[in-house]
């Protein structure tokens, strides 16, 4: 990575990069947010893989007669186990939106200020057209990322509702039973299954774009985006007050 490239993308002049700059270390992502993030990432990937296999079982895995093996049972077991972990982890994150620090709170997800809406335009230009960032960028989620996470959270709710609705026909436990009324509302089991399957592709697309953008912003902002979701700390220029 050459210095002129960083300068071109981040809007920091090459001279400024070579000169030492004053940065302060800011504790952005608290432990509950980071724990939520990685539990969510692991379970969501497992749900996508096992969900895909439930929808399109691979014939080659059947080495013998169906009654002689249990691999599909394991796939379904992992799907249901991850589903419960994922849902309770998500509920914990919803709660943390009320009690966490200013970067984790619900207010960080909505672009209510004019400067945040400007930031959305700026970030779209930087991400899609690869122009340089103009204004200072938020230390927590940038305004566009926050809004997208909010819509992703809505998709999490939708997938949970359709998942438990499907589960209600195969379990007598109280949690799936709470969603039994969803099934006729969505045109029966086939309707629920259709939507539950369709959203798989939303999550797959989200994960690909999200991981790419996390690394891209680490590169153009140059202040520890990737390490922040592991250790919690980011860096910001002394004068920035965003
Ligand atoms: C959040 C991410 C999730 C993804 C990406 C996902 C994906 C999928 C997919 C693609 C299928 C196969 C649908 C088909 O037949 O074509 C499936 C089945 C299923 N999922 Fe999910 N799912 C998720 C979460 C959940 C949750 C939270 C539950 C709640 C218990 C759940 C319960 C089920 C059930 C019961 C089935 C049907 C299993 C069967 O018929 O053998 N899923 N899932
Ligand atoms: C694979 C599945 C993944 C999913 C579903 C996912 C989902 C999310 C969500 C929902 C948030 C918002 C966190 C919150 O406010 O609670 C987030 C933030 C973040 N994620 Fe991921 N993530 C995944 C993987 C990754 C990976 C592999 C990396 C990079 C190594 C990464 C880097 C980040 C960073 C740096 C943030 C915070 C910065 C920002 O606001 O954009 N994520 N992720």
């Amino acid at each position: 990575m050459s210095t002129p490239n960083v300068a071109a993308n981040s809007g920091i002049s090459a001279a400024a990069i070579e000169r030492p700059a004053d940065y302060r270390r800011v504790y952005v992502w608290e432990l509950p947010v980071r724990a939520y993030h990685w539990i969510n990432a692991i379970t969501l990937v497992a749900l996508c893989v096992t969900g895909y296999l439930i929808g399109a079982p691979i014939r080659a895995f059947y080495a013998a007669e169906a009654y002689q093996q249990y691999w599909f049972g394991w796939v379904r077991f992992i799907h249901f186990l991850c589903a419960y972990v994922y849902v309770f982890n998500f509920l914990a994150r919803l709660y943390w939106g009320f009690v966490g620090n200013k970067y984790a709170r619900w207010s960080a997800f909505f672009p209510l200020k004019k400067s945040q809406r400007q930031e959305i335009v700026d970030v779209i230009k930087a991400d899609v057209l690869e122009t340089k960032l103009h204004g200072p960028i938020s230390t927590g989620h940038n305004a566009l990322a926050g809004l997208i996470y909010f819509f992703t959270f809505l998709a999490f709710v939708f997938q949970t509702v359709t998942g438990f609705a499907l589960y209600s026909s195969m379990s007598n436990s109280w949690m799936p039973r709470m969603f039994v009324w969803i099934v006729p509302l969505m045109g029966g089991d086939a309707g629920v299954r259709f939507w539950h399957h369709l959203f798989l592709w939303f999550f797959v697309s989200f994960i690909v774009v999200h991981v790419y953008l996390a690394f891209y912003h680490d590169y153009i902002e140059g202040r520890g985006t990737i390490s922040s979701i592991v250790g919690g700390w980011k860096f910001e220029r002394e004068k920035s007050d965003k």
Side-chain angles (χ1 to χ4, degrees):
M1 177 169 62
S2 70
T3 301
N5 259 348
V6 177
N9 288 324
S10 64
I12 305 167
S13 73
I17 288 168
E18 271 140 28
R19 250 188 286 123
D22 286 334
Y23 281 90
R24 66 167 168 251
R25 210 170 168 234
V26 187
Y27 190 55
V28 180
W29 311 123
E30 300 154 291
L31 185 60
V33 175
R34 286 177 280 142
Y36 157 77
H37 179 269
W38 290 112
I39 293 172
N40 185 53
I42 292 165
T43 52
L44 203 62
V45 169
L47 283 163
C48 288
V49 173
T50 53
Y52 179 81
L53 287 173
I54 292 169
I58 298 173
R59 187 72 188 92
F61 285 2
Y62 292 106
E65 290 299 321
Y67 70 88
Q68 289 173 316
Q69 66 203 326
Y70 195 63
W71 82 264
F72 196 72
W74 281 111
V75 170
R76 294 179 74 232
F77 174 72
I78 295 169
H79 196 77
F80 304 151
L81 182 71
C82 287
Y84 275 92
V85 175
Y86 151 91
V87 169
F88 283 103
N89 184 49
F90 181 47
L91 290 177
R93 178 65 182 93
L94 295 184
Y95 166 73
W96 202 254
F98 295 103
V99 298
N101 70 12
K102 66 175 176 171
Y103 306 106
R105 289 201 176 228
W106 290 114
S107 50
F109 291 84
F110 305 106
L112 300 177
K113 294 191 223 145
K114 191 165 177 265
S115 60
Q116 290 172 305
R117 291 191 289 276
Q118 183 52 49
E119 186 174 275
I120 289 184
V121 176
D122 215 17
V123 173
I124 290 176
K125 282 195 201 154
D127 290 351
V128 181
L129 305 175
E130 303 205 343
T131 60
K132 57 185 177 182
L133 284 166
H134 292 290
I137 190 160
S138 301
T139 303
H141 303 309
N142 70 57
L144 178 66
L147 195 60
I148 289 173
Y149 295 145
F150 173 71
F151 286 113
T152 309
F153 286 173
L154 292 183
F156 286 173
V157 173
F158 183 83
Q159 198 70 344
T160 302
V161 170
T162 53
F164 276 105
L166 278 179
Y167 204 33
S168 68
S169 66
M170 29 185 125
S171 164
N172 286 324
S173 155
W174 64 273
M175 225 167 128
R177 297 312 296 167
M178 274 175 25
F179 296 87
V180 74
W181 57 277
I182 301 285
V183 181
L185 206 68
M186 295 183 82
D189 223 40
V192 186
R193 199 171 286 270
F194 170 80
W195 286 104
H196 194 70
H197 195 122
L198 194 69
F199 268 64
L200 161 72
W201 298 111
F202 168 80
F203 292 115
V204 171
S205 316
F206 169 83
I207 291 169
V208 172
V209 174
H210 171 71
V211 174
Y212 161 71
L213 284 179
F215 278 90
Y216 186 62
H217 275 262
D218 186 89
Y219 169 61
I220 61 173
E221 292 176 36
R223 52 188 191 153
T225 302
I226 293 293
S227 70
S228 75
I229 202 68
V230 180
W233 298 88
K234 264 192 184 178
F235 301 91
E236 63 180 16
R237 293 205 153 223
E238 283 291 7
K239 284 207 182 82
S240 167
D241 57 3
K242 271 191 146 192

